Amino acid sequence: MSDHRVLVDSSVWIDYFKSGNIPILDRMITEDLVCTNELILTELSPFLEHKGRYDILENLLELEMIPLSIDWQLIQKYQLLNLQKGVNKVGIPDLIILQQVIHKRISLFSFDKHFKLMQDYLNFELIA
C-alpha cells in the first residue's frame, strides 16, 4: 500500500458498515489516508439517512473531499478498452472513479471485481 491518499469505494464502506471489521480500513482511517468524492457520498448518503445513521454520514463528510473533474472522452476510451479486453458491464460511476484515481494518482480500495480486471491493462493502484 502506498503512503498517500486512498479513495475508498462504496463497496468497501457498505461491507464495513455491515461487519465493522476491515482492519486495513481501520488502519488507513487512523493514518488519515482515506479520502472520498461526491460520487461515493451520493451512493452512500441516501441509505445512511434512510437508516438514521447520521453519525456515520457526519464522519464520512469529514474526510478529505477529492473534487471530481470528469473527462468524458477519456471515460469513453476506458470503456472501449474494457470492451476490447472482454470486461463488460462496467458502469459509468465506476469509470468516473477510475478516471479520478488515475488522474489524481491516488490509490483505490474496492471490492468490485471489475477494478481488479481493469488493473491488468490500466495503470492504477488497487487495494482489494
Side-chain angles (χ1 to χ4, degrees):
M1 182 174 60
S2 67
D3 61 353
H4 62 278
R5 297 173 296 181
V6 178
L7 184 67
V8 178
D9 187 34
S10 57
S11 63
V12 174
W13 286 119
I14 290 168
D15 193 56
Y16 188 69
F17 299 151
K18 287 180 183 177
S19 72
N21 187 21
I22 303 178
I24 189 171
L25 181 56
D26 286 332
R27 186 173 53 116
M28 287 187 280
I29 291 169
T30 300
E31 294 175 10
D32 199 26
L33 300 176
V34 176
C35 61
T36 193
N37 65 31
E38 293 160 336
L39 178 59
I40 292 168
L41 287 176
T42 300
E43 290 177 329
L44 296 172
S45 294
F47 174 78
L48 292 171
E49 286 186 37
H50 176 71
K51 294 293 185 181
R53 295 306 312 261
Y54 299 103
D55 55 330
I56 295 174
L57 187 55
E58 279 182 33
N59 288 334
L60 289 174
L61 291 171
E62 290 178 10
L63 296 173
E64 179 183 0
M65 182 77 62
I66 306 297
L68 289 172
S69 177
I70 300 172
D71 182 337
W72 293 109
Q73 289 182 332
L74 189 56
I75 288 171
Q76 289 175 26
K77 179 181 171 184
Y78 291 159
Q79 190 71 301
L80 176 59
L81 190 56
N82 286 334
L83 295 172
Q84 291 169 339
K85 298 289 185 179
V87 178
N88 301 310
K89 300 182 181 179
V90 177
I92 299 302
D94 287 337
L95 292 171
I96 292 170
I97 288 169
L98 177 68
Q99 182 231 320
Q100 185 178 43
V101 298
I102 291 173
H103 176 74
K104 297 289 186 178
R105 296 180 186 184
I106 57 179
S107 301
L108 175 62
F109 185 13
S110 179
F111 294 147
D112 289 346
K113 64 182 176 184
H114 55 263
F115 284 117
K116 181 67 175 157
L117 296 171
M118 291 186 288
Q119 190 182 30
D120 290 342
Y121 49 89
L122 292 167
N123 186 23
F124 66 101
E125 182 179 359
L126 178 66
I127 302 164

